[in-house]
Amino acid sequence: MSVTEILFYSLSAMAIGSALLVILSKNPVHSVLWLIVTFVAISGHYILLNAQFLGIVNMIVYAGAIMVLFLFVIMLMNLSTHKEAKKNKWLQMAGVLSGGLLLLVIVASLKGAEQATLVAQTNEGSIGLLENLGKTLFTDYVIPFEIASVLFLSAMVGAVVLGKKTETTKS
Amino acid sequence: MHPTLLVIDWALILEKALLISAVIVISLVVAMYETLAERKIAGYIQDRLGPNRAGPGGILQPLADGLKLFMKEEITPNSANKVLFVLGPCLAMLTAMLTSAVIPWGSTLFFGEREVALQVADINIGILYIFGIVAMGVFGVMIGGWASNNKFSLLAALRGASQVISYELPMGLSLIALLMVTGTLKMSSIVEAQVDGVYNVFLQPLGFLIFLICAFAECNRTPFDLPEAESELNFGYHQEYSSMKLGFYLFAEYINMFISSVLMATLFFGGYDIPFVNDAALRESWGHNPVSILQSVVLLIKTGGFIFFFIWVRWTIPRFRYDQLMDLGWKKLIPLALVNMIITAIVILWRQQ
């Protein structure tokens, strides 16, 4: 077993274990913290695949910024474990059914996909390195990249507009 | 089958372990003496002596303070979340120390034939790594404040966290302009470019100013120390903490101050470059190792200058009000950083033609 394999298996165990704990923990704040651990483990996987930029951006954006927002909301709502209302039995059944169906679809699509036969290359390949990624984004994929940035900008403007509205109604 | 299942370069692991231990010890000792320096300089500015009882001239004061913190009663509030209450200060300390991994503390040292780089990890996304760790640093504050189960702690934690994430943006934008100049994210290459050429502060004066202000905010230092304003805002996220758990939070702040000073020295003031001296020529006459050690000392001296500036500002300037803080971050620093970025881009494109 090489170092890479050991890292891969321990990162995988960490990712799956903490992902299970996200669902299983009773306290929503604990769930968020386990989700952060999951993101860190997935970042580790990216780095094993030599996609350093993706790995670190995953850390900054998902584990950092987005999870802070999650924590903000959950901490301010102060969700406690006792107040949880009993859910409708039929609703639970429907949830299990739809979740199972989703799993089925994912497994089926992965089975039929071309990538199923390809083996992920660890520690080699240079497409994930910063320079190559930047060159690809700004030459081959300029238009999708710019459109995505306009999308983000419009989302930001929308958020500002929503924020402004509440302020004017208050005063 | 192959006799060794797992091939490990023990020399490399030993080298890195020693280097990491050295960096941690230096960070802790510097943080300890920052507390003393802070009190001494505060004393000088306010025209008094400062601590002078423990040891000659108060030199043992940090040890006495540490002992006091260790001996104090460890209190965990009844309604606190026990696990997270301990996890908070640990995370604050951990994230404070993690950043030091990518900083080049010097060039290389020769031990016999073996050349040892004085940098724990020379990754080519060095600056992004620092941002990743800074983003993680928010959680120490937030978890600590929430786990205390005290409304004031929670409010202070939210205040602190929103301050840190607000000032991360102009900090990142000011560094983008710097990256346009250097053309690399690798810390060692950034320093090497400055050793041979001009310091980045002359190329990016506005960027440096923005970075400096944001570093103050990220370290929760005056004039941005709202998370711990004890007199008017009822202390901070560590209100319920006592003994060494409180000590960890306070210590993490001093380590952050040290690390951000090193960062500013590295990114903008040439890192381990000896100013006004041609390092390569000096290396010819003095030999390799003495110059490397001198370079590391020079880096620490530059860092000391920034630490002094941090302390000086704390005892000179009053703190901002919360809305002023947010105004400065979002309405002044971010547009300024964007303008700086655009000007840098235009100048670079113009010079290329």
Side-chain angles (χ1 to χ4, degrees):
Chain A
M1 219 153 75
S2 67
V3 178
T4 315
E5 273 176 62
I6 295 173
L7 281 175
F8 174 78
Y9 284 118
S10 45
L11 279 173
S12 304
M14 193 171 138
I16 295 172
S18 49
L20 280 175
L21 281 165
V22 174
I23 315 173
L24 295 178
S25 36
K26 294 253 174 189
N27 190 330
V29 172
H30 289 184
S31 292
V32 173
L33 295 178
W34 284 116
L35 193 56
I36 296 167
V37 178
T38 315
F39 280 135
V40 172
I42 289 173
S43 282
H45 275 299
Y46 283 140
I47 290 167
L48 275 189
L49 292 169
N50 229 10
Q52 302 166 339
F53 182 71
L54 202 56
I56 212 78
V57 165
N58 187 47
M59 282 271 282
I60 297 173
V61 176
Y62 282 91
I66 292 181
M67 285 302 108
V68 168
L69 279 184
F70 269 53
L71 266 188
F72 259 88
V73 171
I74 287 172
M75 282 176 179
L76 284 178
M77 292 205 313
N78 205 11
L79 295 172
S80 68
T81 47
H82 315 293
K83 282 184 205 158
E84 204 174 342
K86 208 168 181 326
K87 288 186 183 83
N88 192 336
K89 201 191 251 173
W90 291 105
L91 211 60
Q92 281 179 328
M93 288 256 278
V96 170
L97 199 68
S98 55
L101 282 175
L102 180 66
L103 184 70
L104 200 71
V105 170
I106 291 173
V107 169
S109 62
L110 276 182
K111 219 180 151 203
E114 272 177 53
Q115 275 81 5
T117 50
L118 296 177
V119 180
Q121 291 183 318
T122 50
N123 278 333
E124 45 191 284
S126 55
I127 187 66
L129 297 184
L130 195 64
E131 277 183 17
N132 302 330
L133 196 70
K135 271 187 192 133
T136 317
L137 272 183
F138 283 99
T139 50
D140 299 346
Y141 299 99
V142 189
I143 297 169
F145 183 72
E146 291 300 328
I147 290 175
S149 65
V150 172
L151 187 71
F152 276 118
L153 190 67
S154 62
M156 248 168 73
V157 172
V160 170
V161 169
L162 284 177
K164 280 263 181 205
K165 221 174 197 173
T166 48
E167 207 172 85
T168 44
T169 47
K170 246 185 226 166
S171 61
Chain B
M1 209 168 169
H2 204 269
T4 46
L5 285 171
L6 192 58
V7 186
I8 294 176
D9 187 354
W10 287 108
L12 182 79
I13 289 187
L14 185 71
E15 173 196 317
K16 292 297 178 196
L18 284 176
L19 192 60
I20 292 169
S21 329
V23 168
I24 288 178
V25 167
I26 290 173
S27 308
L28 290 176
V29 170
V30 169
M32 266 169 71
Y33 278 91
E34 270 173 63
T35 59
L36 178 65
E38 174 130 71
R39 294 168 68 180
K40 277 286 185 191
I41 293 169
Y44 177 73
I45 289 174
Q46 296 169 348
D47 204 11
R48 54 189 172 83
L49 283 175
N52 62 354
R53 296 290 125 168
I59 198 82
L60 297 176
Q61 185 67 35
L63 294 177
D65 285 342
L67 193 67
K68 186 196 84 173
L69 277 173
F70 270 117
M71 303 301 262
K72 277 193 164 181
E73 190 187 354
E74 192 98 31
I75 299 169
T76 310
N78 260 338
S79 53
N81 187 323
K82 301 280 182 304
V83 181
L84 295 187
F85 194 71
V86 179
L87 187 68
C90 296
L91 262 181
M93 200 69 174
L94 182 74
T95 49
M97 302 294 301
L98 269 178
T99 326
S100 59
V102 293
I103 293 171
W105 296 92
S107 64
T108 55
L109 280 179
F110 273 103
F111 290 103
E113 286 298 295
R114 196 181 171 85
E115 190 175 13
V116 176
L118 293 179
Q119 184 179 15
V120 178
D122 191 12
I123 49 179
N124 49 17
I125 43 166
I127 291 182
L128 284 175
Y129 169 86
I130 290 169
F131 271 98
I133 300 301
V134 170
M136 294 274 108
V138 187
F139 292 120
V141 172
M142 290 194 81
I143 290 171
W146 182 79
S148 314
N149 208 351
N150 173 334
K151 294 233 166 20
F152 291 109
S153 297
L154 179 63
L155 285 176
L158 294 178
R159 201 165 61 217
S162 50
Q163 172 184 325
V164 171
I165 51 181
S166 302
Y167 277 80
E168 242 170 65
L169 296 171
M171 194 180 215
L173 289 173
S174 72
L175 279 186
I176 287 176
L178 179 74
L179 297 181
M180 286 176 181
V181 175
T182 59
T184 176
L185 284 152
K186 207 173 183 170
M187 300 290 275
S188 57
S189 317
I190 293 176
V191 175
E192 273 157 27
Q194 293 180 87
V195 171
D196 299 331
V198 250
Y199 287 180
N200 285 333
V201 67
F202 300 116
L203 303 172
Q204 280 292 321
L206 189 60
F208 170 68
L209 192 68
I210 296 167
F211 189 88
L212 183 74
I213 295 171
C214 294
F216 272 80
E218 296 284 320
C219 296
N220 293 336
R221 292 286 299 185
T222 327
F224 306 102
D225 63 342
L226 292 148
E228 43 208 68
E230 65 271 27
S231 49
E232 65 266 43
L233 290 171
N234 207 344
F235 217 43
Y237 49 87
H238 39 41
Q239 191 172 25
E240 297 286 352
Y241 281 91
S242 64
S243 183
M244 209 48 206
K245 291 211 279 288
L246 173 69
F248 261 39
Y249 269 128
L250 301 181
F251 222 61
E253 185 192 317
Y254 282 97
I255 293 175
N256 275 329
M257 202 165 107
F258 171 57
I259 298 289
S260 45
S261 300
V262 178
L263 259 183
M264 282 188 280
T266 307
L267 292 176
F268 291 97
F269 280 83
Y272 53 74
D273 177 45
I274 308 169
F276 314 116
V277 175
N278 187 347
D279 290 25
L282 196 65
R283 217 177 270 276
E284 294 277 304
S285 55
W286 281 27
H288 191 90
N289 282 358
V291 176
S292 293
I293 292 168
L294 185 66
Q295 283 177 329
S296 300
V297 172
V298 166
L299 176 65
L300 287 180
I301 290 170
K302 287 176 183 173
T303 308
F306 281 111
I307 290 173
F308 174 73
F309 187 68
F310 266 97
I311 296 169
W312 184 18
V313 167
R314 173 165 180 183
W315 299 102
T316 315
I317 297 177
R319 70 171 66 95
F320 281 116
R321 221 169 51 216
Y322 190 67
D323 59 326
Q324 291 170 332
L325 174 92
M326 285 293 153
D327 263 11
L328 180 72
W330 288 94
K331 293 185 186 161
K332 307 227 166 60
L333 285 183
I334 291 182
L336 204 61
L338 282 172
V339 167
N340 182 39
M341 196 173 99
I342 291 167
I343 292 172
T344 312
I346 290 171
V347 170
I348 287 175
L349 280 179
W350 179 64
R351 285 181 54 162
Q352 269 175 3
Q353 276 171 5

